[in-house]
Amino acid sequence: PLLFPSQRASKNSRTMPNKQEMDEEAGVEKVPLMKEDEGQNQSNTHDHPPDSMPHKDIKEAAFWLFMLFLASVTMTVGNKYVMKEWDFANTLTLMQNGTAVLYLGLGRYGGMLDMKPFALQQWKVFAVSSFFLAMQILTSLKALPFVAIATVVAFRNTCTVVIAMIDYTFFGTKFSREQIWSLALTTLGMIVYALQDINFNLVGYLWLVGNSVATIFNTFWNKFYITHYTKELKIQTSYGVSFIQQVETLPIVLVLAMANNEGAFYEKFTPLVMTTKLVIFSTCLG
């Protein structure tokens, strides 16, 4: 019969077979996915996890964790030795943080470290954490001549417990049973150590209490603002934040050095033996 074009198109669309009909006419049998195949697919998924943490990144993270451990140990031991031979805590901090600023600045200039443009608001926000960072370093240096290095480490572990308690109470952070037991054992260990500390010195302990207060406050300030600027707003990197903080500590420790009459640091530095001088400069490299 004679059909109009629209009628012919409608008829063709009704008679056009889909892929399933074509497979049935060709005798292609659709095989359902068996449970064994599903299990195999699932095992393959587990055998080949997504590349969220490649092997290269794991090795790099392990390397930097080892370097952090090495720098922390050598800096603590070196600082204790230096403070016994050359009691200029603010001048030493000025040298060490100045070297850190130089490292970061050269890294940015050479394209090795990524930093985003700096804004005035960033300098204002991190001025608070810079002050407490300077207090952390200063109080630690002042305490080292009076207490054992193990005492410093014990106080740092206590800070971890206090930070966890504040995090749970005010920020709703949840901890597993194993974590709670670990924190309880850390607390018990600190109590036992303090009771048996044969090197107990009230002045040293007071400096470490001040160090703990600065550490706890700085931890929560950085937790909020570093996450806010680097993860949420993404207007600055962790390297950029570190650069801001290190730069802002310099005028603080400079004023403290002048207030504590540390202008004679060079006169006291000159007669030191070469080994002590090398240790002083090596702490700046750490």
Side-chain angles (χ1 to χ4, degrees):
L2 182 61
L3 299 175
F4 291 99
S6 60
Q7 292 175 317
R8 288 198 299 267
S10 175
K11 181 178 180 181
N12 290 338
S13 63
R14 288 196 303 270
T15 58
M16 181 67 69
N18 56 31
K19 184 177 183 302
Q20 182 178 358
E21 293 173 345
M22 293 173 65
D23 290 342
E24 291 176 353
E25 292 179 1
V28 178
E29 183 179 0
K30 184 177 180 181
V31 181
L33 182 65
M34 303 300 291
K35 291 185 178 181
E36 293 181 352
D37 295 333
E38 293 177 352
Q40 184 66 30
N41 291 339
Q42 292 177 356
S43 64
N44 290 340
T45 302
H46 292 297
D47 292 341
H48 302 283
D51 294 332
S52 57
M53 190 67 173
H55 184 64
K56 180 181 178 181
D57 291 345
I58 296 176
K59 292 176 64 177
E60 183 178 355
F63 170 78
W64 286 113
L65 282 174
F66 173 76
M67 293 300 295
L68 176 62
F69 161 79
L70 185 64
S72 178
V73 172
T74 54
M75 282 288 289
T76 304
V77 176
N79 283 339
K80 182 177 179 65
Y81 174 80
V82 170
M83 289 301 297
K84 281 184 169 291
E85 301 293 329
W86 193 63
D87 188 10
F88 292 89
N90 296 291
T91 304
L92 181 62
T93 304
L94 187 65
M95 295 170 58
Q96 293 175 349
N97 289 18
T99 306
V101 171
L102 183 63
Y103 283 162
L104 292 167
L106 291 176
R108 184 194 183 197
Y109 181 78
M112 295 179 289
L113 301 178
D114 180 32
M115 299 183 194
K116 295 185 178 181
F118 298 106
L120 180 60
Q121 182 63 24
Q122 298 175 25
W123 294 91
K124 291 180 180 179
V125 167
F126 291 108
V128 177
S129 59
S130 298
F131 171 78
F132 282 100
L133 175 61
M135 293 303 101
Q136 283 180 259
I137 300 172
L138 175 62
T139 52
S140 177
L141 291 174
K142 285 292 190 180
L144 281 172
F146 299 100
V147 298
I149 294 176
T151 306
V152 178
V153 176
F155 267 86
R156 289 176 182 172
N157 292 338
T158 305
C159 288
T160 303
V161 177
V162 175
I163 289 170
M165 293 172 62
I166 296 175
D167 212 10
Y168 173 81
T169 304
F170 296 99
F171 297 96
T173 303
K174 303 299 181 182
F175 298 97
S176 65
R177 181 178 299 178
E178 290 78 9
Q179 290 173 322
I180 294 175
W181 276 111
S182 299
L183 294 171
L185 288 175
T186 300
T187 305
L188 179 62
M190 175 57 191
I191 295 174
V192 173
Y193 180 87
L195 293 175
Q196 303 298 324
D197 187 7
I198 60 176
N199 298 308
F200 174 81
N201 183 285
L202 180 59
V203 175
Y205 268 62
L206 289 176
W207 280 118
L208 287 177
V209 169
N211 178 267
S212 301
V213 172
T215 299
I216 293 168
F217 187 91
N218 208 20
T219 297
F220 286 103
W221 187 273
N222 285 336
K223 176 182 179 180
F224 177 80
Y225 282 104
I226 290 181
T227 302
H228 184 62
Y229 276 83
T230 63
K231 302 297 183 183
E232 298 173 2
L233 299 180
K234 296 182 179 180
I235 58 177
Q236 190 52 266
T237 66
S238 57
Y239 294 116
V241 171
S242 180
F243 182 78
I244 292 173
Q245 291 177 328
Q246 295 294 334
V247 169
E248 290 185 326
T249 60
L250 299 183
I252 297 173
V253 294
L254 179 61
V255 171
L256 291 174
M258 296 172 62
N260 287 274
N261 298 318
E262 294 188 9
F265 71 93
Y266 186 73
E267 296 177 7
K268 299 293 184 179
F269 177 83
T270 305
L272 294 175
V273 298
M274 184 57 65
T275 302
T276 303
K277 293 178 180 179
L278 291 175
V279 173
I280 292 174
F281 288 118
S282 67
T283 59
C284 297
L285 299 177

